[in-house]
Amino acid sequence: MDKRLLTIQDVSCVGQCSLTVALPVISACGIETAVLPSSVLSTHTAGFSGYTFRDLTGDMPAILEHWKKEKITFDAFYTGYVSKAQIPIILQIMDETSKKDSLRIIDPVMADNGVLYTGFDEDFPSEMKKLCARADVILPNLTEAAFLLGEKYAGSSYDSSYISGLLERLKAIGPSYIVLTGVSFEPDKLGCAVYDGKEIKYYFNHKLDASMHGTGDVYASVVAGALCRGWSVYDAAALAADVVVESMKATLDDKDHWYGVKFEKALPYLIDRLSLCKK
Ligand code: PXL
């Protein structure tokens, strides 16, 4: 049976992130993608100023009631940029529109490079932790992992024992799998660590000399799409890393493109990789 995924995150009208990434990427994976916009912004908040922001929390209960009346259910959920007030409603949506074993993928979008994104207060991580506790897969970067655990951000000075400890502590929150992004032990390599409570597996790519907004959303969307196609968490995490690299390579030579990553150029690559796998 074909799967239907619900993604809950903002619409940043311009900026190549959140829903404007998730919808095309997961659709390109061949997965029906339903959306619940958490808010509408004229642009994302990283680098633009004066953006508009419309919170859509108030619409969520009626949307849920309608879905329940129509007996609409989802095989998978993938949440991204949401607000504190939305977290209890999202838990309710996942409980009341879930099938028996629906997949819960939570990207705890809130921070990067040691700091919370504009608009998130210090209480947000503890609320996000409640959502992560109910997840099958969480996808924090190193900063988000530290915030979820109430720990100090390690910056770039850490070793593999720090990463294994971090994964163990994240596992204790409750998710079945952790995909930790932005892991680097060597200056020219960047990748992810995947932990299922038993074994840590790493996947690395050559590190590009650039950092681009929206790569986390491309990453999580590919993971969500590949998981819905039956890929293992590790294979999905590795594919997602490769798609992010392709997207970044397509953006590198355009110095004016400061606000996002050209993931559209990597969609043919994504589709090719998926079609090579007979699932
Ligand atoms: O990419 C994460 C993200 C999503 N949505 C909005 C953002 C950000 C990161 O800054 O500002 C509105």
Side-chain angles (χ1 to χ4, degrees):
M1 262 289 268
D2 286 335
K3 297 231 161 76
R4 177 166 56 218
L5 173 145
L6 171 67
T7 184
I8 309 174
Q9 49 189 314
D10 70 287
V11 177
S12 283
C13 300
V14 173
Q16 287 170 311
C17 69
S18 37
L19 266 188
T20 65
V21 168
L23 191 50
V25 168
I26 303 168
S27 299
C29 294
I31 303 299
E32 179 184 344
T33 311
V35 301
L36 180 53
S38 55
S39 50
V40 178
L41 297 85
S42 49
T43 64
H44 64 61
T45 66
F48 292 102
S49 57
Y51 46 82
T52 68
F53 182 91
R54 180 166 303 276
D55 181 82
L56 296 177
T57 314
D59 288 20
M60 290 182 166
I63 290 173
L64 172 60
E65 281 319 303
H66 183 220
W67 286 346
K68 282 165 60 182
K69 216 177 259 166
E70 294 289 339
K71 299 198 171 18
I72 291 168
T73 56
F74 303 99
D75 302 282
F77 301 91
Y78 154 39
T79 72
Y81 183 101
V82 298
S83 73
K84 200 161 55 183
Q86 290 167 348
I87 288 176
I89 306 174
I90 291 170
L91 285 167
Q92 189 188 355
I93 291 170
M94 292 199 298
D95 286 342
E96 296 181 4
T97 63
S98 180
K99 295 189 178 163
K100 195 164 149 278
D101 286 316
S102 298
L103 192 60
R104 297 171 178 210
I105 303 157
I106 309 295
D107 185 1
V109 174
M110 59 181 158
D112 206 358
N113 299 313
V115 288
L116 286 168
Y117 290 138
T118 310
F120 288 89
D121 63 31
E122 284 160 22
D123 303 338
F124 185 82
S126 61
E127 202 61 28
M128 178 51 83
K129 197 172 172 180
K130 295 180 191 162
L131 199 50
C132 291
R134 305 277 304 281
D136 293 297
V137 183
I138 63 169
L139 303 121
N141 60 35
L142 285 170
T143 302
E144 288 158 346
F147 273 110
L148 282 174
L149 294 166
E151 297 177 5
K152 206 168 157 286
Y153 173 58
S156 54
S157 57
Y158 56 81
D159 57 15
S160 63
S161 68
Y162 170 73
I163 297 297
S164 50
L166 204 57
L167 290 167
E168 204 58 66
R169 296 191 292 282
L170 289 166
K171 185 74 179 68
I173 293 175
S176 306
Y177 293 88
I178 294 115
V179 180
L180 183 65
T181 59
V183 178
S184 179
F185 298 126
E186 295 167 64
D188 62 342
K189 294 226 158 38
L190 182 67
C192 60
V194 180
Y195 187 51
D196 60 0
K198 294 188 204 91
E199 189 189 2
I200 301 171
K201 284 191 185 170
Y202 288 99
Y203 184 78
F204 291 105
N205 270 304
H206 176 73
K207 184 176 178 181
L208 299 172
D209 186 22
S211 151
M212 292 173 196
H213 188 263
T215 50
D217 299 336
V218 175
Y219 189 91
S221 299
V222 174
V223 168
L227 289 178
C228 285
R229 288 176 67 113
W231 285 43
S232 71
V233 177
Y234 179 76
D235 287 347
L239 171 68
D242 294 347
V243 173
V244 167
V245 169
E246 285 299 307
S247 305
M248 289 180 74
K249 281 186 183 160
T251 316
L252 278 174
D253 61 356
D254 186 349
K255 297 290 169 239
D256 294 333
H257 200 88
W258 60 269
Y259 60 82
V261 62
K262 299 184 183 182
F263 71 94
E264 303 88 352
K265 309 285 187 228
L267 291 178
Y269 172 84
L270 169 63
I271 292 166
D272 280 353
R273 286 283 303 271
L274 289 167
S275 63
L276 285 173
C277 178
K278 299 265 170 292
K279 267 194 176 133

